[in-house]
Amino acid sequence: MDLARVRKRCEEEIRRLRISTPLDVTALCERLAEQRGRPLHLLALTSRTSNPSGLWVAAKKADYIFYDESVGEAHRAHIVLHEIGHMVFEHAGVAELDDLTARLLAPNLDPKVVRQLLCRDSYDNEHEQEAELFATVVLMRAGFEVTVTPDAGAHPELARLREVLSA
């Protein structure tokens, strides 16, 4: 991976997203949602050690970023910014999971969404490294002064997904 190239891409996205100090991650999510023309929701997830600390779900009509509710505010910001990194760089999950298996695991979700959820779980690939660098550069730019406010509204349509991921 060419770190200089990725750093340059991060800086371009930071300028485009108008990231400043202190950083209100919730306001950043609102700007990103406006730019993408679709809602973006931040949702706490009861995590297990086997779960990722965060994930981005690009559903048909909205984006959802889940994060481990047990982490502190600074870590929460990093998790959310990492997932935003996947969004701004237009990353997708690895397509190693076939459609039949995806449908068996989550029959009510599009197999593409299931792959996105389950196939990005390590830091040894370029997409994960790019997202991680994006989060780190944003936090550095913001002087590590950040706040994150989760969505207050209930999302009943996500109850099953939360249940599956929290189990």
Side-chain angles (χ1 to χ4, degrees):
M1 176 170 73
D2 181 353
L3 284 176
R5 179 186 57 78
V6 175
R7 175 72 186 247
K8 182 178 177 185
R9 288 179 66 201
C10 290
E11 294 292 345
E12 290 168 2
E13 289 300 325
I14 289 168
R15 278 191 297 282
R16 186 180 68 77
L17 293 169
R18 301 184 316 271
I19 292 172
S20 60
T21 302
L23 174 60
D24 181 337
V25 177
T26 306
L28 171 61
C29 288
E30 290 167 2
R31 281 195 305 276
L32 186 56
E34 185 177 306
Q35 289 176 4
R36 290 171 61 84
R38 50 194 277 129
L40 170 56
H41 303 283
L42 301 181
L43 302 161
L45 182 67
T46 302
S47 187
R48 302 180 318 209
T49 55
S50 62
N51 284 356
S53 58
L55 58 95
W56 161 48
V57 176
K60 288 183 180 183
K61 296 182 180 180
D63 290 300
Y64 299 91
I65 293 179
F66 292 87
Y67 61 88
D68 182 347
E69 68 183 352
S70 70
V71 301
E73 188 168 51
H75 191 186
R76 182 181 312 146
H78 187 87
I79 291 167
V80 172
L81 291 168
H82 176 100
E83 299 307 324
I84 289 173
H86 286 301
M87 292 173 70
V88 299
F89 291 135
E90 299 178 353
H91 294 161
V94 181
E96 295 173 2
L97 193 65
D98 63 76
D99 283 1
L100 178 59
T101 305
R103 286 188 201 287
L104 289 172
L105 290 170
N108 296 326
L109 292 178
D110 181 317
K112 182 178 168 185
V113 172
V114 177
R115 277 191 290 277
Q116 180 182 349
L117 288 172
L118 299 179
C119 297
R120 271 198 349 242
D121 64 354
S122 68
Y123 292 98
D124 62 353
N125 72 55
E126 190 166 324
H127 286 177
E128 289 302 317
Q129 292 172 9
E130 285 177 339
E132 193 66 12
L133 185 59
F134 175 82
T136 301
V137 171
V138 169
L139 288 171
M140 289 171 51
R141 171 68 66 86
F144 296 94
E145 295 181 42
V146 295
T147 60
V148 182
T149 307
D151 280 358
H155 296 276
E157 70 275 10
L158 297 174
R160 178 67 183 138
L161 181 58
R162 281 191 200 186
E163 182 181 308
V164 167
L165 294 172
S166 295

